[in-house]
Amino acid sequence: MLKTFIEIRELTKNYTLSSGLFNPQKRIIYAVNNIDLQVFKGETLGLVGESGCGKSTLARLITRLEKPSSGYITFKDENIFSYDKEELKAYRRNVQIIFQDPYSSLNPRKSALSIIKEPLTIHRMGDKKTRSEAALGIMAKVGLSKEQANRYSHEFSGGQRQRIGIARALVLNPELVIADEPVSSLDVSIQAQILNLLKDLKDDYNLTYLFISHDLNVIRYISDRVAVMYLGKIVELALNSDIYNRPLHPYTRMLLSAVPSCDPQKKKRMMNIKGEARAENEEGCAFQTRCSYKTEICAKIEPQLEKFDEQSFCACHLAGSI
Ligand code: SF4
């Protein structure tokens, strides 16, 4: 049986926005809206959805860069929002993040070696010599040579910079790595190299990945299970093969139809998608204004994420009958 590593329960993160300088009314935006989700030890869980759907907010909550409005997250059965200072430090060693943009996430005034060994210094692990040895060791693992150790980030290509970002995330020997759009700013040929590297490192270091992307091709290549997120909610969760061969939710179908294809029929399907995302406080299904399968009930009752079969969950009144 798969061991639950991260458990997310009824997690909500909302922000109150002012409607304007002369308008006293406030608007509440739900970046993450009552999410339940589990990440199992050793898996790669892909989290996919359009830009602004709440994927990165969820990552920031898991890494404790933000606190939730309600709900909680457990790591190995402990609530991460109840940690004391020392426990939080240990958690931050164990859960590392790889950022989207290798261009802006690296300090331009530091050498590759300094960037990679910095987390060891922050966490006061080892001495100067062992930190450098550990950093050089992880550099070799991600495909960077000893000769590149003293170069600055502007002297590296985009793919190499992302390798530095990966090395920096792994130097603390974490158990969980959150990869937030780690290849989206790279050329397609480089993307494949980085994805293969991440796969190899997962095996070598016995890692668990939460892999966030808007790109279904990338998610398909790397994930064991896939969670589809729409307007702050998980609308479908299933094994990789089920998501791609038997998508249950109309939004998953829409995303799949948007994947670039040479098939003219697929292009036509994408053009049939209509409507815009609805306002936050409307009743019923959040996807109703974009959904061509909408029925009467969709406008009245919000569908909940329900079990469809052993490994699949879907939040749609018509799951399985579309
Ligand atoms: Fe479409 Fe209705 Fe399903 Fe929402 S519940 S996705 S509107 S069919």
Side-chain angles (χ1 to χ4, degrees), residues 199-212:
K199 275 189 166 189
D200 292 344
L201 292 168
K202 178 174 178 281
D203 295 338
D204 292 351
Y205 289 89
N206 199 18
L207 297 167
T208 301
Y209 284 150
L210 175 62
F211 196 100
I212 298 171

Side-chain angles (χ1 to χ4, degrees), residues 80-91:
I80 67 166
F81 300 107
S82 315
Y83 284 154
D84 64 24
K85 212 174 154 193
E86 280 311 303
E87 288 168 331
L88 180 59
K89 217 172 154 192
Y91 178 70

Side-chain angles (χ1 to χ4, degrees), residues 94-293:
N94 242 331
V95 178
Q96 289 290 307
I97 188 159
I98 299 168
F99 294 99
Q100 172 179 359
D101 185 0
Y103 296 90
S104 62
S105 62
L106 303 179
N107 188 333
R109 288 185 290 278
K110 288 191 168 179
S111 68
L113 188 71
S114 305
I115 290 169
I116 294 166
K117 69 180 180 183
E118 192 177 35
L120 294 169
T121 312
I122 292 168
H123 286 273
R124 297 203 177 102
M125 293 170 76
D127 55 28
K128 212 174 165 186
K129 186 167 175 270
T130 55
R131 282 174 204 150
S132 292
E133 283 168 359
L136 285 169
I138 197 80
M139 278 186 78
K141 273 285 190 188
V142 302
L144 295 169
S145 69
K146 207 173 167 182
E147 290 68 42
Q148 294 171 308
N150 291 320
R151 293 193 193 155
Y152 291 85
S153 59
H154 69 268
E155 296 177 79
F156 291 94
S157 66
Q160 286 171 329
R161 284 184 222 196
Q162 196 53 294
R163 286 173 195 266
I164 297 173
I166 293 167
R168 185 184 157 92
L170 296 192
V171 76
L172 289 171
N173 216 1
E175 291 182 84
L176 174 68
V177 172
I178 297 173
D180 189 1
E181 302 268 10
V183 296
S184 57
S185 62
L186 304 175
D187 290 346
V188 175
S189 59
I190 308 296
Q191 283 187 0
Q193 291 173 18
I194 297 294
L195 290 174
N196 286 332
L197 173 67
L198 287 169
K199 275 189 166 189
D200 292 344
L201 292 168
K202 178 174 178 281
D203 295 338
D204 292 351
Y205 289 89
N206 199 18
L207 297 167
T208 301
Y209 284 150
L210 175 62
F211 196 100
I212 298 171
S213 179
H214 67 280
D215 186 332
L216 275 159
N217 281 331
V218 167
I219 289 285
R220 182 177 206 166
Y221 187 70
I222 200 144
S223 307
D224 300 309
R225 290 189 306 146
V226 180
V228 181
M229 202 166 169
Y230 183 72
L231 287 186
K233 295 201 168 215
I234 304 295
V235 295
E236 186 163 358
L237 172 66
L239 292 175
N240 183 320
S241 53
D242 286 339
I243 285 283
Y244 291 91
N245 297 326
R246 185 211 57 187
L248 295 171
H249 198 284
Y251 179 57
T252 312
R253 290 172 170 236
M254 179 189 123
L255 289 177
L256 286 169
S257 76
V259 172
S261 169
C262 302
D263 181 345
Q265 280 306 110
K266 285 188 179 172
K267 279 182 187 161
K268 195 169 164 229
R269 262 203 293 148
M270 191 188 166
M271 289 190 308
N272 284 339
I273 297 161
K274 54 181 188 190
E276 291 297 322
R278 67 168 194 171
E280 224 75 34
N281 51 1
E282 282 177 19
E283 285 185 329
C285 176
F287 191 61
Q288 60 180 290
T289 55
R290 301 172 83 180
C291 183
S292 31
Y293 302 98

